[in-house]
Amino acid sequence: MNPAIRRALPLVLGATLSAAAPAAFSQAFDAVRLFGAAPNTDGGSVGLAVITGREYAGSDERRTRVLPGIDYQWRNGWFAGTTNGLGVDFLRRPDMNLGLRITADFGRDEGRSTALRGLGDIDPAPEVGAFFNYAPLRALTFTSSLRYGSGNDNKGMVLDLGAVHSARLGEAWRLGAGVAASYVNREYMQDYFGITPAQSAASGYRVYRPDAGWRDVRASLSLSYRPAQRVAVTAATSLSRLQGDAADSPLARKATTLNGVLVVSYAF
């Protein structure tokens, strides 16, 4: 694997997993992260992550999962994996990414929490979308991603915006910090935070019809250590807070959440 990718890998994993930790899995794929990948180079990584978050966005119950991960990027701009989905980067530049991709919304299982009883399941669904990243400085990257297709009617849309900054702390250590926010349309907000009359009758919640708006804002910190050339260990924490109609939902029992991630990865 190209040395530039190996050097950047701790930042990539730290930024990715710390941003994905809130509601552990509803915010996966919030950005395409190909930071440091040299143009015209093939390379990938495999790893194992321990993620602690909430049962669902707004839940007051903790949930911890152990998840494997694998990602690969081809020199022609195509990529595939658990972090970025399946897509293509048309620019293939170290300072800018622009492309299309397919991801997945993992839905929500009614049996995950007693707070969800009577609401029914939200089925997993494929999403189509586009992304744009810009790095004006080597240590600073702005990310954006648009995804469409979530929810039982496949009309949910999510716009993710973020920024990540990193600093080297010696030869083997790297510190990363990031901020992010997600804007969702009415269909997404209704599926994940609204209560229909039928759901109200089955669950006892009041009828709630949220509008489009900002779903949440997030801040994260990550610390990465590279004990060997191809091995990285990353610890990350993130603080997320629901916003607007999402925070006012009857399902939002805890609007602010602190999450954590520990990941070990190997580059190839």
Side-chain angles (χ1 to χ4, degrees):
M1 187 179 185
N2 184 276
I5 301 178
R6 288 198 296 266
R7 288 195 298 269
L9 185 61
L11 171 59
V12 175
L13 290 169
T16 300
L17 293 171
S18 62
F25 319 102
S26 64
Q27 291 166 7
F29 307 123
D30 67 328
V32 169
R33 293 178 170 88
L34 304 172
F35 306 157
N40 304 313
T41 302
D42 295 340
S45 67
V46 294
L48 192 68
V50 179
I51 304 177
T52 176
R54 295 291 176 179
E55 289 289 359
Y56 63 89
S59 173
D60 57 358
E61 301 172 82
R62 302 296 302 183
R63 186 185 192 192
T64 299
R65 294 185 65 178
V66 179
L67 299 174
I70 182 169
D71 285 279
Y72 199 83
Q73 181 183 353
W74 288 268
R75 65 187 65 198
N76 61 6
W78 284 90
F79 57 84
T82 55
T83 299
N84 295 316
L86 172 64
V88 59
D89 175 16
F90 297 123
L91 299 182
R92 288 180 286 166
R93 289 172 46 176
D95 65 331
M96 195 176 297
N97 309 119
L98 173 66
L100 302 173
R101 63 174 177 158
I102 299 173
T103 56
D105 178 82
F106 299 117
R108 188 180 68 196
D109 186 351
E110 179 185 11
R112 183 179 298 176
S113 169
T114 56
L116 300 176
R117 288 180 181 173
L119 301 182
D121 295 339
I122 301 175
D123 296 331
E127 300 171 307
V128 295
F131 62 90
F132 176 70
N133 298 338
Y134 175 56
L137 303 172
R138 184 175 181 181
L140 177 65
T141 301
F142 296 100
T143 66
S144 62
S145 172
L146 181 67
R147 296 173 285 140
Y148 181 83
S150 60
N152 287 330
D153 293 330
N154 302 114
K155 295 181 179 180
M157 184 199 73
V158 182
L159 172 65
D160 299 297
L161 302 173
V164 177
H165 183 272
S166 71
R168 175 172 288 184
L169 305 177
E171 196 65 28
W173 294 87
R174 185 177 290 272
L175 180 68
V179 293
S182 296
Y183 185 92
V184 300
N185 67 357
R186 180 181 298 176
E187 288 78 7
Y188 182 101
M189 194 76 83
Q190 180 63 48
D191 279 343
Y192 280 96
F193 297 97
I195 307 292
T196 66
Q199 290 173 325
S200 176
S203 66
Y205 289 116
R206 62 183 172 88
V207 174
Y208 185 66
R209 300 187 184 278
D211 206 347
W214 293 101
R215 181 187 65 188
D216 61 352
V217 295
R218 309 178 292 280
S220 62
L221 285 173
S222 64
L223 182 64
S224 299
Y225 173 62
R226 184 160 54 88
Q229 190 176 32
R230 294 177 179 269
V231 179
V233 180
T234 300
T237 184
S238 67
L239 184 68
S240 66
R241 181 168 180 81
L242 295 177
Q243 301 294 304
D245 284 3
D248 293 336
S249 169
L251 299 177
R253 300 188 172 192
K254 192 174 182 65
T256 302
T257 303
L258 183 66
N259 308 274
V261 174
L262 177 65
V263 59
V264 179
S265 64
Y266 176 80
F268 60 89

